[in-house]
Amino acid sequence: LNRIIITVAISCAIAILILNEIPLTYLAGFIIIGVMMIVFIRKPLYFLLGLFLLRSAFDTFLVSIRVSLGGVDIGLGGIAALGLIVGTMFYILIYSDNLKRLHLMVVGIYLIFYLISIGSFYISPDRVGSIKVLVRRLSILSILVLTILNIRSEKNAYWLLKAIVFSAIIPLTVGG
């Protein structure tokens, strides 16, 4: 049933985009985000591997696709980051039995860093820029949390580290 609902939702979204004569790059961006969302739901570890491997290649592409939400210009990459944050929150709620794995010093240090960032948001004259920085930092925290919750073996850690190293190859070969 979940597969049917997801398939129908994605198909309707693509149909709406096509009917509204959305440019091909926008359509490709939304399809990439949709595929990553399905992988996140089905296999979070594979999502992390794909994210680490392909993020540097897709960053420029997703940021170049701009939409206006509530009068604020945001890239599709920003929307994907918001989706990652919300997805991570749901993941934590659904798999709350794994929360004891988050009692690591690195998570605590990052949370302190994030709280300081929230403080700087209140004194910043550029609110929109500050929100973008906060979302970026919270998406990094989301990736950290997902990594800690999903890496359960040395083999998983090995593949994740390989994906991180190989992710540098793509931009180097295309000049990014």
Side-chain angles (χ1 to χ4, degrees):
L1 183 63
N2 288 340
R3 289 182 190 172
I4 294 170
I5 292 170
I6 291 171
T7 303
V8 168
I10 291 173
S11 299
C12 288
I14 290 172
I16 289 169
L17 292 172
I18 291 171
L19 291 174
N20 287 319
E21 298 177 6
I22 298 295
L24 186 60
T25 54
Y26 281 52
L27 186 60
F30 283 112
I31 289 172
I32 290 168
I33 299 299
V35 168
M36 292 298 282
M37 182 179 69
I38 291 169
V39 174
F40 176 79
I41 292 168
R42 305 275 300 142
K43 300 281 185 181
L45 182 62
Y46 293 161
F47 168 79
L48 282 170
L49 288 170
L51 184 67
F52 283 124
L53 184 62
L54 300 173
R55 187 197 65 79
S56 59
F58 286 136
D59 259 359
T60 307
F61 175 69
L62 292 178
V63 171
S64 70
I65 299 173
R66 312 300 295 176
V67 293
S68 181
L69 293 175
V72 176
D73 183 48
I74 187 169
L76 190 56
I79 294 172
L82 289 171
L84 175 66
I85 293 165
V86 171
T88 301
M89 287 183 207
F90 279 114
Y91 188 85
I92 289 171
L93 291 173
I94 292 169
Y95 298 104
S96 59
D97 56 328
N98 288 335
L99 287 181
K100 60 185 169 278
R101 297 184 74 199
L102 293 178
H103 293 286
L104 296 173
M105 186 191 308
V106 69
V107 175
I109 290 171
Y110 198 89
L111 284 173
I112 291 169
F113 172 70
Y114 191 74
L115 289 174
I116 292 169
S117 297
I118 290 173
S120 69
F121 165 75
Y122 286 106
I123 62 172
S124 173
D126 180 16
R127 296 284 187 188
V128 174
S130 295
I131 289 174
K132 288 179 181 181
V133 169
L134 287 175
V135 168
R136 189 177 312 124
R137 290 182 179 158
L138 196 54
S139 68
I140 292 169
L141 178 62
S142 297
I143 293 169
L144 175 66
V145 166
L146 286 172
T147 301
I148 291 169
L149 293 178
N150 283 286
I151 299 298
R152 296 194 173 102
S153 71
E154 193 174 308
K155 181 182 176 186
N156 290 348
Y158 170 78
W159 282 106
L160 196 62
L161 286 173
K162 256 184 140 170
I164 291 169
V165 171
F166 286 138
S167 72
I169 293 173
I170 296 171
L172 286 174
T173 57
V174 294

